[in-house]
Amino acid sequence: MNIVILLGAPGSGKGTIASRLAAEDTNLKHVSSGDLLRGAVAKGTPAGVEAKGYMEKGALVPDALIAQMIKDVIAETEGDVTMLLDGFPRNVAQAKILEETGAPIRSAVLVDVPDSIIAGRIAGRRTCPKCKAGYHVVSLPPKVEGICDHCGTALTIRKDDNPDTVNDRLVVYHRETEPLIQFYKDKGLLKTIDGDQGPDKNAAAFKAAM
Ligand code: AMP
């Protein structure tokens, strides 16, 4: 097992890229920290109850809470698998926790998208609550409006995808997560792709870079 880290702002397209690549290749496993947390909130587990308030504000949940979830997934992942780790680490402390697991990190790929286009992307974002497929009302619409192409479930809008929370999440990204770009550059693991090429080219560029 090895790990490819997806770096990038909220709305940069990390989840779309990872879920596309994982759908094409069974050796790739998409692990999204946000999906793990939303699953825990929906189930009402103790971790979910603790995480909910932070997530609604667009703040980061405590490092130990999300780190334990990621460690559990790493522990249960065996064989010839590349984990596409989306949303973790989110700060340098989490990056160090990840290193301590000993799981080999193959690369950290930054999906680079300017803030000026993030707001429009997030405003149109729709997600399948069942299979987690991502859509956008303009750039990546489902075949039937409001319905997932893959499983027929009604698409939803994430609670934290409202303009106020998006701004807070961008502030958190620049303050907490952006230092990871230098962190992984110093380790010789950083790759960067232009995340504004459209879903197909973004995914292809990521695959080539990772
Ligand atoms: P995402 O789906 O990656 O945009 O994450 C949604 C929300 O989940 C974030 O705004 C945070 O509140 C929380 N979250 C996800 N990943 C992490 C992480 N690695 N550390 C702390 N909070 C996280």
Side-chain angles (χ1 to χ4, degrees):
M1 195 273 285
N2 60 29
I3 293 178
V4 171
I5 295 165
L6 290 101
L7 289 176
S12 59
K14 303 186 297 294
T16 305
I17 291 171
S19 63
R20 281 185 169 225
L21 295 180
E24 283 168 5
D25 182 345
T26 52
N27 290 324
L28 298 177
K29 174 173 175 171
H30 177 201
V31 175
S32 153
S33 55
D35 284 347
L36 292 173
L37 287 163
R38 281 183 287 277
V41 171
K43 279 195 202 132
T45 66
V49 171
E50 190 184 347
K52 192 168 187 262
Y54 295 96
M55 294 173 75
E56 283 175 358
K57 281 187 292 191
L60 296 185
V61 309
D63 293 339
L65 189 162
I66 182 62
Q68 190 54 51
M69 290 182 167
I70 299 294
K71 283 184 194 169
D72 290 346
V73 180
I74 290 174
E76 73 199 18
T77 306
E78 288 168 352
D80 184 17
V81 172
T82 294
M83 188 183 290
L84 302 176
L85 195 47
D86 162 16
F88 186 95
R90 250 341 199 266
N91 58 31
V92 172
Q94 294 181 7
K96 291 186 174 159
I97 295 172
L98 182 61
E99 278 183 344
E100 283 161 17
T101 67
I105 298 171
R106 175 160 140 192
S107 56
V109 185
L110 171 66
V111 181
D112 193 24
V113 177
D115 278 9
S116 53
I117 63 172
I118 291 284
R121 282 218 189 164
I122 292 189
R125 184 149 79 168
R126 302 290 181 272
T127 316
C128 174
K130 190 168 173 216
C131 76
K132 312 294 176 211
Y135 298 89
H136 188 280
V137 290
V138 178
S139 61
L140 191 60
K143 292 192 183 93
V144 178
E145 194 184 324
I147 301 293
C148 179
D149 292 350
H150 306 290
C151 68
T153 305
L155 301 177
T156 53
I157 301 177
R158 276 173 48 174
K159 253 193 184 161
D160 57 351
D161 275 354
N162 64 73
D164 285 345
T165 314
V166 168
N167 269 333
D168 292 343
R169 286 160 64 204
L170 277 173
V171 170
V172 169
Y173 171 74
H174 290 300
R175 190 182 61 221
E176 302 280 333
T177 311
E178 223 165 42
L180 290 177
I181 297 172
Q182 191 62 43
F183 181 90
Y184 287 114
K185 201 184 232 172
D186 290 345
K187 293 182 185 297
L189 292 172
L190 186 77
K191 317 269 168 143
T192 301
I193 64 155
D194 171 6
D196 194 20
Q197 312 178 65
D200 291 339
K201 286 188 179 164
N202 288 347
F206 188 95
K207 196 174 178 183
M210 70 181 232

